[in-house]
Amino acid sequence: MLYKGLQLDRFQEEAIAAINRDTSVIVTAPTGAGKTVIAEYAVEKCLKENQRVIYTAPIKALSNQKYRDFYAEYGDKIGIVTGDVVLNPYAQVLLMTTEIFRNTIFDDIERLQDVAYVIFDEIHYINDIERGTVWEESLIFAPQHIKFVCLSATIPNINPFTEWMQSVRDIDIEIVEELERPVPLDHHLYFKDYGIGSVAHIPALRKRAQHDARKRKSDPFENKTPQVENKTPQALPADFIETSLIPHLRREKQFPCLHFCFSRRGCEENAMSLVFGSQLQLLNKKQTTEILKQFDELCLQFDIVEEKKIAEFRRLVSCGIAYHHAGMLPTLKEVVERLFTSGLIQLLFTTETFAVGINMPACTVVFDSLEKFDGIGFRHLKAREYHQMSGRAGRRGIDTIGYVYAQIVPSYADSNEIRGVVADKIEPIESQFNLSYSSILNLYQKYGDDIYDVYTMSLSNHQNRVRVATLNKQIEGKTEKLRILPKPECIHEGIDGSAQIEKHYRQKRDREKNLQRLHVEMSQIKSQTRGKKRKKERAKRLRTVHKEIKRFQASGEQSLCDDCQHLNTCTGRYKTIRKEEERLQKLKRKTTSVANDPQRQIASRLKVLEELGYIEAHTLLPRGSTAAHLYGYEVQLTQLLFNGIFERLSEDAINCLMVAIISEPRKDGYFKPLKDERLLDEFYAVSSEISFIQHLEVKHKVTEITPLLELRLCTAMLAWSRGCDFDKLEKYARLDAGDFVRTFRLVIDQLRQIRRAMSGHTALVEKLNRCIGKINRDVVDAERQLRIGQEDLDETNTEVSEQAPSIALESSDNAEAEDETSLS
C-alpha cells in the first residue's frame, strides 16, 4: 500500500485496515519504525469524513511539534490546547497533552460528543509513576463512542494490557505488533580510555583497568620506574577495538550523532571541551557558512540575538556541535531542533527528554553512561529507557545500520547490571492508578459511594487480580508445607509437644523481657541520681530494683523442657515451623494489601475531604465543586480561595504565592530570601492552612502528603511580575533560564485553572487576568513562541482554511480566552 508516496510496511497496513474498520487499535513498534504514519492516516480519515480527532502527547514540546507539522499541511483545521497555549480550540483536529484530555472528560464531557478518534502517542507513559494515572483515567472515563489509536514502543505484556482496555471500552480493540526495526541497530560498549567492545569484554577490561590504576598509584610520574612491578593482566581479546570514540565515529562516517548525557552540565561541558579544548571541526567551509546563516536567521526570528551564551553557542554550531537540555531557553532549544533537522549539526549532546516523541533520528546514539540520578540516588537505566533512546539511531531511507555506543567506566563495570540494561527483554507496563483529590471529587459527584467500584475498572485491579491469584497459590503451598513439617514430640505422656515448646519459649521470652526492663530502669536511676547529694537515694532505689531482679530469677517457673535431652530437636522443629508461619503471615498481609490498599486510599482521601467540608451526604459542597475544577494543588488552593486570600493580596503577591505553591524544594543554588514582612505574614497563615491539611492526611493515613510552601523563587517571581528584564532574574535565583520559563508557565497554567473554577466571580477573574498578564510576556509567552514562523505557513494554507468545516471556530482572543476556561 502506498500512502503519501511511501510504501507502507506490514504493520502500518494492518493498523490502517483496523482504522478503516472503525475499531480501536494498539500499535507497538520500535522507535523509528514509522508509527506516526498511522496517526497521520487517522487524522486524514477524520478530516475527509468531517469528524473531529484529538491527538494527545505526553509532553508539551511534542504537542507543539505535532501542531506545526499538521498546521503546515492542513492550516486552520488544526488547533492546540495545552496549559501554555490555546489556538483555534474548536478546530477539527486538536492537539493537546493527555492531562488536558482527562480534564475535559471530567469538566465538560459534552465537548467530546463529536470526537471520533483520540490518538494516544507514547501510550507506555501509562507506566510513569507520577503521571501514568492520567492515561488510565482517560481510557476508563472517555465517552464510549470514542475510538483510540494507541502508539507505543514495545510492550511485553501487550495481550493482558489489551484485555484490560477491552474490559473498559465498548468498541473492539485490535493489536498490531512489529518487533523488527526497518534500520537494524549495532550495539557496542565503549570502555572509557580503552576502546570499543561488548559485555563479554567486561571481566578482562575490569582487571586491566584495576591493574592500570594500581600502576599509576605506584608510579605517578612517567619517568620514574616503580619499585614493585604489578603483574600484567591477560591480553584483551582480538576483537576488542582500542580507540577513542569520537575519532572512531568520524573515521567510520557514523555522524550525525545524538550523545545522551544525564546531566545538563555534562551536556554543556562535553560540547565545550570538544570545541574550545580539542578544536574539533565536523563541518567543511560550505556547511559552516550554511549553518551560521540558519543560526543567525533563527536567532533573529526568535528575538534571542542579545541573549547570554548566544555568541558562545554560535561558535559551537559553527563546528557542527551543540547541546540541548531543559535548562535552556525554550526558544534556543527550538533553534537547536531546527538546526538538527537540517542535518548540519553532527554531534548533539542532549538529555533524555530528546528521546520522547520528537522525530529527530541520527546515524548514531551514544550514552555518556548507563547510570542516572533519579532524585534519590544513582541507578542503572531500565531496559525500556535504554531502548527508547537507542531507538533514535538509524535514519530510515538514509542508513542501512544504526549504531549505539554505551560508555562504561571499566573499573566499576557490573556485567549483570549492564547485560540487563542492553538486553532485549523490556520491562512490562505496570499500572500507576492513583486518584487525586480532584478526580475523586468528580467521580464522587457521579458515583457517590459506588466510587469504590471505579477501582475495579482500573488496570491496577486487573493486574492485582493476577497478583492475588499468584499469592494465593503461594499461600496454599506454604500451608501445605506447614502441614507436613515434623512437629515437636514431647516424651511426657499426654503432653502436646508443640504447645509445650511454645510455652517454654514464651516463658523464656517473658522473663528476658522483664529482666531487660529492670536493667533499663537501673540505668535510668543512675542517670537521674548523679552526684554525692543523691547517693543515698540512688542506693535505696537500686536495692529495690535488685530485689525485683532476684525475685524474677528465683521465681522462674520450671518447664518440662528444662534439661530434656530432646530439647534441641524440638527447638529446631519449633523454629522451622515459626519461620514458615511468619512467611505465611507475610504472604497473607501482602495479599490483603494488594487487594485492598487502593480502595483504602480512596477512603482515606474521602475522609480528609469530608472533614474539610468538601462533601456531605453523597453531594459536593461549594468547596468540593471548586476543587473538582482544579487539577493539581486543588485542596490548598480551594482553602485559600474560600479564606479570601486571593481578594486580600495584590496581583504581584498572588503570583508570588502561586510560585511558592507549585515549586519543589531544592537543596542547591542561591536564592535571594523574601523580606516583605506583610507578605511573609500572609504566607505564615497559608502554611498553617496547609499544615492542617497535612494533619488530616496523617490522621487518615493518606500516602502522598500535601507539600508545604517553597519560598526560594518568590523574590524572582516578585521581580518578574513587577516588570524586570529576564536577564536580571539571575540576581534573585541561581537557576537555568529554562527552569525560570517552565516554572512561570506552570504558574500561568494554575492561574488559568483558578480563573475557570471561579468564572462566576467577575472581580476575581479580572484580577487573575491581570496576574497572568504580568507573567505571560517575553520568553515566557509560549503562544508567541509557537506563532513565530507560522506566518509563512498561513500564506500557503489560505485555500485550506477557506475550506475548513463549519465545526471550526475562527481564532480570536475572546474565543481563546473563553475556551481556556473549559479546557486548560
Side-chain angles (χ1 to χ4, degrees), residues 69-207:
D69 292 345
F70 284 127
Y71 188 88
E73 188 166 359
Y74 302 114
D76 285 341
K77 292 181 180 180
I78 310 300
I80 182 170
V81 180
T82 68
D84 296 336
V85 178
V86 177
L87 294 174
N88 200 12
Y90 292 99
Q92 194 174 350
V93 180
L94 204 54
L95 284 297
M96 57 175 63
T97 56
T98 315
E99 277 84 356
I100 297 292
F101 177 65
R102 189 275 312 268
N103 298 351
T104 306
I105 292 170
F106 285 151
D107 283 344
D108 190 4
I109 200 167
E110 293 301 316
R111 290 286 305 277
L112 304 174
Q113 288 309 308
D114 58 350
V115 173
Y117 266 101
V118 171
I119 298 164
F120 272 159
D121 205 349
E122 312 282 356
I123 185 65
H124 55 264
Y125 257 77
I126 203 168
N127 197 61
D128 186 83
I129 292 175
E130 293 183 357
R131 300 173 60 208
T133 187
V134 175
W135 276 258
E136 206 163 329
E137 291 171 41
S138 298
L139 289 168
I140 294 171
F141 302 115
Q144 285 295 338
H145 73 275
I146 288 178
K147 301 174 285 289
F148 286 92
V149 175
C150 301
L151 308 176
S152 175
T154 306
I155 301 176
N157 54 336
I158 183 66
N159 289 321
F161 177 77
T162 307
E163 287 171 11
W164 163 74
M165 189 170 164
Q166 188 67 79
S167 73
V168 296
R169 306 301 305 169
D170 291 345
I171 295 171
D172 289 342
I173 303 165
E174 298 187 32
I175 297 174
V176 175
E177 252 187 311
E178 176 58 62
L179 301 178
E180 297 298 321
R181 286 179 51 87
V183 181
L185 297 182
D186 192 6
H187 294 265
H188 301 277
L189 300 182
Y190 172 67
F191 296 92
K192 191 177 180 183
D193 299 327
Y194 291 90
I196 297 168
S198 64
V199 175
H201 295 130
I202 289 178
L205 259 295
R206 184 166 183 162
K207 288 180 182 177

Side-chain angles (χ1 to χ4, degrees), residues 370-385:
L370 289 180
E371 294 182 74
K372 62 180 282 191
F373 185 74
D374 61 4
I376 300 172
F378 284 92
R379 65 165 175 83
H380 280 85
L381 297 181
K382 294 178 180 177
R384 176 177 297 283
E385 295 169 319

Side-chain angles (χ1 to χ4, degrees), residues 141-388:
F141 302 115
Q144 285 295 338
H145 73 275
I146 288 178
K147 301 174 285 289
F148 286 92
V149 175
C150 301
L151 308 176
S152 175
T154 306
I155 301 176
N157 54 336
I158 183 66
N159 289 321
F161 177 77
T162 307
E163 287 171 11
W164 163 74
M165 189 170 164
Q166 188 67 79
S167 73
V168 296
R169 306 301 305 169
D170 291 345
I171 295 171
D172 289 342
I173 303 165
E174 298 187 32
I175 297 174
V176 175
E177 252 187 311
E178 176 58 62
L179 301 178
E180 297 298 321
R181 286 179 51 87
V183 181
L185 297 182
D186 192 6
H187 294 265
H188 301 277
L189 300 182
Y190 172 67
F191 296 92
K192 191 177 180 183
D193 299 327
Y194 291 90
I196 297 168
S198 64
V199 175
H201 295 130
I202 289 178
L205 259 295
R206 184 166 183 162
K207 288 180 182 177
R208 176 71 166 267
Q210 291 171 348
H211 164 268
D212 291 347
R214 287 194 299 270
K215 187 174 180 180
R216 283 192 298 271
K217 188 174 181 181
S218 63
D219 183 12
F221 305 104
E222 290 184 9
N223 60 351
K224 179 182 176 183
T225 304
Q227 295 179 351
V228 180
E229 181 62 36
N230 289 296
K231 184 179 179 182
T232 303
Q234 185 178 352
L236 292 170
D239 59 338
F240 184 80
I241 305 172
E242 296 190 58
T243 183
S244 295
L245 185 56
I246 301 300
H248 173 80
L249 299 182
R250 194 174 193 180
R251 189 168 54 251
E252 298 296 321
K253 294 182 171 53
Q254 293 176 3
F255 286 119
C257 170
L258 283 175
H259 195 303
F260 285 107
C261 304
F262 298 114
S263 79
R264 299 173 183 180
R265 181 178 293 180
C267 289
E268 296 188 17
E269 289 180 351
N270 281 329
M272 296 292 184
S273 65
L274 289 177
V275 173
F276 296 101
S278 304
Q279 304 293 313
L280 181 64
Q281 173 57 265
L282 299 177
L283 302 178
N284 58 37
K285 288 184 179 180
K286 183 180 178 182
Q287 290 171 324
T288 300
T289 301
E290 177 59 25
I291 198 171
L292 288 178
K293 179 176 179 290
Q294 288 189 30
F295 181 76
D296 292 341
E297 288 174 353
L298 287 167
C299 286
L300 191 64
Q301 187 178 1
F302 285 98
D303 193 23
I304 55 173
V305 175
E306 302 299 325
E307 292 292 338
K308 291 179 64 176
K309 294 189 176 182
I310 290 298
E312 183 178 77
F313 213 93
R314 192 175 189 274
R315 174 78 176 93
L316 290 177
V317 299
S318 73
C319 298
I321 298 171
Y323 59 82
H324 181 286
H325 61 69
M328 297 164 60
L329 276 175
T331 42
L332 181 54
K333 279 168 56 183
E334 186 162 338
V335 168
V336 174
E337 290 163 14
R338 293 194 182 196
L339 291 176
F340 190 81
T341 304
S342 74
L344 290 169
I345 289 181
Q346 299 299 296
L347 180 56
L348 181 64
F349 293 94
T350 180
T351 51
E352 60 191 304
T353 53
F354 205 82
V356 180
I358 299 175
N359 185 26
M360 295 185 187
C363 177
T364 300
V365 161
V366 171
F367 291 85
D368 200 52
S369 171
L370 289 180
E371 294 182 74
K372 62 180 282 191
F373 185 74
D374 61 4
I376 300 172
F378 284 92
R379 65 165 175 83
H380 280 85
L381 297 181
K382 294 178 180 177
R384 176 177 297 283
E385 295 169 319
Y386 172 79
H387 285 283
Q388 177 82 26

Side-chain angles (χ1 to χ4, degrees), residues 641 646-647 651 654 751-773 817-818 820-821:
L641 284 166
F646 281 82
E647 280 84 358
E651 288 86 351
I654 288 174
L751 286 168
R752 285 173 172 166
Q753 289 191 45
I754 299 170
R755 182 180 67 185
R756 179 199 61 213
M758 306 302 290
S759 58
H761 301 264
T762 306
L764 181 55
V765 167
E766 290 175 356
K767 191 175 192 179
L768 292 169
N769 282 332
R770 293 193 296 274
C771 290
I772 293 168
E818 180 183 347
E820 256 174 29
T821 62

Side-chain angles (χ1 to χ4, degrees), residues 472-530:
N472 282 334
K473 284 184 180 178
Q474 292 177 18
I475 288 170
E476 289 175 12
K478 290 287 182 190
T479 303
E480 177 60 20
K481 185 176 179 180
L482 264 173
R483 189 184 67 79
I484 62 175
L485 278 175
K487 308 294 188 295
E489 296 178 357
C490 189
I491 59 173
H492 300 280
E493 189 176 347
I495 301 295
D496 183 326
S498 297
Q500 179 57 40
I501 195 73
E502 169 64 32
K503 178 182 177 183
H504 170 77
Y505 279 104
R506 186 175 63 252
Q507 290 174 346
K508 186 177 179 181
R509 285 194 301 270
D510 290 344
R511 185 161 57 249
E512 289 172 350
K513 187 176 179 181
N514 281 309
L515 289 171
Q516 185 180 11
R517 174 182 59 80
L518 290 169
H519 281 104
V520 169
E521 188 176 340
M522 287 176 63
S523 298
Q524 291 174 339
I525 290 170
K526 291 175 182 177
S527 175
Q528 294 166 358
T529 57
R530 290 175 181 164

